[in-house]
């Protein structure tokens, strides 16, 4: 009768543990609830959001002209985030599948 070497036993145990942990994580991912907005319908007012973005960019330009670069960078970052939300709202409207 041939016995497994300690290295082979270790590798087998490590492989089994890895597969078990991976399966557990995969199972949690599959059964996790999807993110929703607390059951509320999300409404994007794109025109208002664009006005806010434009106002933030104008504020950033004014701050930059006055020499407040850190505040201008923050205002531009907020405007960029708002622009990303606008794009995601438009993409969600374009890719909406009412038959699902």
């Amino acid at each position: 009768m041939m016995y497994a070497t300690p290295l082979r036993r270790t590798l087998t145990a490590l492989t089994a543990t890895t597969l078990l942990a991976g399966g557990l994580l995969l199972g949690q991912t599959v059964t996790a609830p999807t993110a929703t907005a607390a059951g509320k319908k999300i409404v994007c007012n794109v025109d208002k959001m664009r006005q806010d973005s434009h106002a933030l960019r104008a504020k950033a330009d004014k701050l930059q002209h006055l020499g407040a670069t850190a505040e201008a960078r923050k205002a531009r970052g907020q405007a960029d985030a708002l622009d990303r939300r606008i794009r995601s709202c438009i993409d969600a409207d374009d890719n909406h599948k009412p038959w699902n």
Side-chain angles (χ1 to χ4, degrees), residues 8-67:
R8 186 177 290 170
R9 264 184 277 162
T10 304
L11 289 176
T12 305
L14 184 63
T15 304
T17 304
T18 304
L19 289 173
L20 200 72
L24 180 65
L25 290 175
L26 181 66
Q28 287 179 349
T29 303
V30 171
T31 60
T34 58
T36 60
K40 296 180 182 177
K41 184 177 179 181
I42 300 173
V43 179
C44 294
N45 188 351
V46 176
D47 293 331
K48 172 78 168 107
M49 292 167 73
R50 282 188 176 142
Q51 288 175 355
D52 292 344
S53 174
H54 181 71
L56 280 169
R57 291 200 189 279
K59 177 182 174 184
D61 290 340
K62 182 178 178 183
L63 288 169
Q64 185 71 38
H65 181 70
L66 293 173

Side-chain angles (χ1 to χ4, degrees), residues 49 53 57 76-91:
M49 292 167 73
S53 174
R57 291 200 189 279
R76 280 193 191 96
Q78 290 172 345
D80 289 340
L82 200 52
D83 288 341
R84 282 192 297 274
R85 284 188 60 203
I86 291 169
R87 272 187 252 124
S88 67
C89 286
I90 292 171
D91 288 343

Side-chain angles (χ1 to χ4, degrees), residues 1-5 8:
M1 180 187 273
M2 206 167 216
Y3 293 103
T5 61
R8 186 177 290 170

